[in-house]
Amino acid sequence: MRTARAPRGQGPRPHGLGALGRPGVLLLTYTLTTLDLTCLFMQFSIMPYLAQRLGLDPVAFGYQQTLFGVLQLLGGPLFGRFADQRGARAAFTLSFLAASALFLLLAAACGPAALPGVALLFASRLPAALMHTMPAAQMVITDLTAPAERPAALGRLGLCFGVGVILGSLLGGTLSTACGIQCPAVVALVANLLGAAVSFACIPASTKGASADAQTNPPGRPPDGPKAGVFDLKAISRLLLLPGVLPVFLIKVVSGFPSGLFMVMFSIISVDFFRLEPAQAGYLMSYFGVLQMVVQGLVIGRLSSCFSEWALLRASVLAFGLVGLAMALMSSTLHFCLLAPGLVFSLCTLNVVTDAMLAKAVAPSDTGTMLGLCASVQPLTRTVGPTLGGLLYRSFGVAIFGHVQVVVNSLVLLALWRRPVPHSSAHIQ
């Protein structure tokens, strides 16, 4: 028989979490996620210059970006399944080792001219299929937090993202200017090897069942069955057919897709429409990163304690529509700065709330797989976004992204308003 839950901060340490305990594991998870994102944005800061140095035209540069997105799209659900099967330690270690391989190849591509730089650059995209530190962190947080505190805990990953955007972009630019374009790749390689070592030494082998509030299967959710293989696609697709999962997943994909198209095209829009210099575009991205830190780290946690998940979901879709209307009328950088808080609020609320709802809708043994599916939404946008977004922008201008966002989210909001709210999710707490 399960014993009664002890008050927070009291009672025995959860089984299997080692000397760190639950707070220590959560803090380490946030730290490793920040390290991973910092290295990722160090890579993004040097990629255009490396492509130019290797003589890649915009089409070839787009091919390697598409390859990166496709591999992450295909690898996300499989990595999530691996995390469920092998545990948090194996998931974090594998992700950091894959990132180490990417930066090793990237550093070689930045090396002497005698090396086949273009081939090494494209080869460096291959480990992206296994680089999924963010879903691994979401799985650990989901496993170790009660449903009432989960949205706030997941929202704090936005702080990690914001720090990664600002610190990674700053380090990438500073190191490449001071020490050469190869230096950021070498520093990121060392950092990821350190992350792999720390993950192997300190992350628990498994966090399943270690939450202070052990999850139970709600009505309609099947109990944990026999373990399926990592590459069992039926076991992965089965999760989408569980009660309440597919509607929320479709809302996540459809509602965020128009703004995802805009963000994919933002590097081109900032130069062609806003007429920004590279430094000014960097400042604008830093502003976006700070907004995300504030919204995910401070705002969403407070809202989740006052409103239900479905209310927050409706609010995010409504905000998407209003931001789309403003985007359709946007004509200057100042206008974008004014609508950016609404855009960030919509994106962050949609992602955090849907991730929390979907993780709660599946069995504890399947949270990694479900979050891996959620993590594939962004690579899907990055895969089809450059082609579709470029076609729309060339044909209709920047206002088309606002028009599409208004229409799509108006339809989603109408469908949400006509859908009865499940009693079990009336309140988060």
Side-chain angles (χ1 to χ4, degrees):
M1 179 180 295
R2 190 173 61 190
T3 57
R5 178 188 175 189
R8 183 179 299 179
Q10 301 180 14
R13 180 178 288 121
H15 175 70
L17 296 186
L20 290 177
R22 176 178 170 272
V25 172
L26 289 174
L27 179 60
L28 180 59
T29 298
Y30 290 126
T31 303
L32 290 173
T33 304
T34 303
L35 176 65
D36 174 79
L37 291 168
T38 300
C39 294
L40 187 65
F41 280 94
M42 286 174 64
Q43 175 206 186
F44 291 158
S45 68
I46 66 171
M47 285 299 293
Y49 304 100
L50 177 59
Q52 185 179 26
R53 173 178 165 179
L54 295 175
L56 291 181
D57 58 21
V59 175
F61 183 69
Y63 286 156
Q64 66 86 22
Q65 285 185 305
T66 300
L67 178 61
F68 187 87
V70 169
L71 289 170
Q72 287 225 305
L73 172 65
L74 297 176
L78 297 178
F79 182 89
R81 193 71 188 168
F82 174 84
D84 283 332
Q85 296 285 328
R86 304 298 180 183
R89 179 187 298 164
F92 271 99
T93 304
L94 177 63
S95 181
F96 276 109
L97 288 176
S100 300
L102 181 145
F103 285 109
L104 177 62
L105 292 168
L106 191 62
C110 300
L115 295 176
V118 174
L120 288 170
L121 176 62
F122 276 86
S124 70
R125 307 297 92 188
L126 299 179
L130 302 175
M131 291 170 53
H132 295 281
T133 301
M134 180 65 82
Q138 290 174 322
M139 183 193 73
V140 171
I141 292 169
T142 299
D143 290 341
L144 297 183
T145 55
E149 60 187 10
R150 190 168 299 147
L154 290 172
R156 293 187 193 104
L157 287 172
L159 291 172
C160 304
F161 186 88
V163 172
V165 171
I166 297 170
L167 190 58
S169 301
L170 178 64
L171 284 176
T174 303
L175 291 175
S176 60
T177 301
C179 307
I181 199 171
Q182 191 179 39
C183 184
V186 174
V187 171
L189 169 62
V190 174
N192 277 279
L193 289 174
L194 177 63
V198 172
S199 299
F200 185 78
C202 302
I203 291 291
S206 177
T207 54
K208 303 296 181 184
S211 171
D213 282 343
Q215 299 183 42
T216 57
N217 290 340
R221 183 201 293 167
D224 296 349
K227 296 283 186 181
V230 173
F231 297 98
D232 189 344
L233 298 181
K234 289 184 178 180
I236 295 174
S237 60
R238 170 185 58 84
L239 297 181
L240 295 176
L241 302 179
L242 294 177
V245 170
L246 188 58
V248 175
F249 187 79
L250 289 177
I251 291 170
K252 181 182 183 70
V253 175
V254 175
S255 183
F257 187 74
S259 60
L261 283 181
F262 175 79
M263 295 308 299
V264 166
M265 295 299 299
F266 185 75
S267 60
I268 295 176
I269 292 172
S270 63
V271 175
D272 186 58
F273 183 77
F274 293 133
R275 306 293 182 184
L276 298 180
E277 297 295 329
Q280 295 172 323
Y283 296 148
L284 196 57
M285 287 305 298
S286 296
Y287 168 65
F288 212 77
V290 171
L291 285 176
Q292 184 155 359
M293 290 173 62
V294 173
V295 171
Q296 284 200 227
L298 302 176
V299 176
I300 293 180
R302 296 179 183 273
L303 292 178
S304 65
S305 63
C306 301
F307 301 98
S308 71
E309 292 168 331
W310 284 99
L312 291 176
L313 190 58
R314 288 171 174 171
S316 68
V317 175
L318 176 61
F320 266 131
L322 296 176
V323 169
L325 183 61
M327 194 181 295
L329 303 174
M330 177 178 64
S331 60
S332 67
T333 308
L334 176 61
H335 292 165
F336 177 76
C337 291
L338 293 176
L339 66 84
L343 179 60
V344 172
F345 170 81
S346 305
L347 286 168
C348 294
T349 304
L350 178 73
N351 290 330
V352 171
V353 171
T354 52
D355 286 350
M357 294 172 72
L358 291 170
K360 189 169 63 176
V362 301
S365 61
D366 289 325
T367 53
T369 307
M370 189 70 253
L371 291 169
L373 285 169
C374 294
S376 297
V377 174
Q378 188 177 10
L380 173 64
T381 306
R382 288 203 303 262
T383 300
V384 302
T387 302
L388 180 58
L391 179 62
L392 291 173
Y393 180 62
R394 185 170 65 248
S395 302
F396 304 103
V398 72
I400 189 62
F401 297 106
H403 293 144
V404 172
Q405 189 159 311
V406 170
V407 172
V408 169
N409 283 281
S410 295
L411 295 175
V412 173
L413 186 62
L414 179 62
L416 275 175
W417 227 268
R418 297 182 62 180
R419 187 182 190 277
V421 177
H423 183 268
S424 59
S425 62
H427 295 282
I428 291 181
Q429 291 191 345

